[in-house]
Amino acid sequence: MAKIAKTNAMRLLDAQKIPYGMLSYEVKDGKIDGISVAAKIGKPPEAVYKTLVTQGHSGELYVFVIPVAAELDLKKAAKAASEKKIEMIHVKDIQKYTGYIRGGCSPIGMKRHYVTFVDESAATLDEVIVSAGRIGTQMVLAPGDLLKAADANYADLTH
């Protein structure tokens, strides 16, 4: 079996000695949205989380990690970040700010650390699944380990 090249996210978890599993999925069909990914890896959508990058009214960037089937509530996100208003950044800017691309953006190991929030629904799960930082690869880890690795806090973030 071919050795899988480590992503920044995996290297960060290894350095912190945080245990994680890896799941791979086929990307040739172009279906890389979170719900399709959940189906491909055989996991319920409630356990698979997507990483969203936003910008606050102050100009600061924030990262929100929410279930793939959920929608970020921008008012709740702004409240969590103590901002007047929050907006999604443009897809074309994701790589510039994070070092990752759309569909492969991990909340762990970005170019810079941004204030990060994980939807409080993760606290009820035994494991959460997030992007490993590359399209086609997901990481499975305990919610508490995700908070530790991403230096994140829980918040109520979805509709």
Side-chain angles (χ1 to χ4, degrees), residues 18-141:
I18 293 175
Y20 64 95
M22 281 179 24
L23 298 167
S24 297
Y25 59 95
E26 186 52 58
V27 297
K28 287 189 181 117
D29 63 5
K31 293 181 180 169
I32 60 166
D33 64 279
I35 292 173
S36 296
V37 169
K40 288 179 182 186
I41 60 175
K43 298 288 184 178
E46 303 77 50
V48 182
Y49 282 61
K50 59 188 172 186
T51 304
L52 304 173
V53 184
T54 65
Q55 187 164 30
H57 185 73
S58 67
E60 283 295 310
L61 294 184
Y62 299 92
V63 176
F64 296 95
V65 185
I66 65 170
V68 294
E71 202 175 305
L72 181 65
D73 182 319
L74 294 173
K75 283 188 169 65
K76 288 180 178 179
K79 184 179 175 193
S82 301
E83 286 277 357
K84 271 190 215 163
K85 191 174 152 194
I86 283 217
E87 293 178 348
M88 299 296 296
I89 65 166
H90 288 285
V91 170
K92 66 177 177 50
D93 292 331
I94 292 172
Q95 190 168 15
K96 174 173 79 176
Y97 292 126
T98 68
Y100 293 128
I101 60 170
R102 179 186 168 275
C105 188
S106 179
I108 301 166
M110 292 186 180
K111 274 186 187 176
R112 256 189 71 204
H113 177 268
Y114 301 109
V115 174
T116 302
F117 297 94
V118 175
D119 188 66
E120 62 191 11
S121 61
T124 66
L125 303 173
D126 292 331
E127 59 183 32
V128 291
I129 299 158
V130 296
S131 173
R134 177 176 44 235
I135 295 174
T137 310
Q138 298 285 102
M139 299 183 306
V140 183
L141 65 166

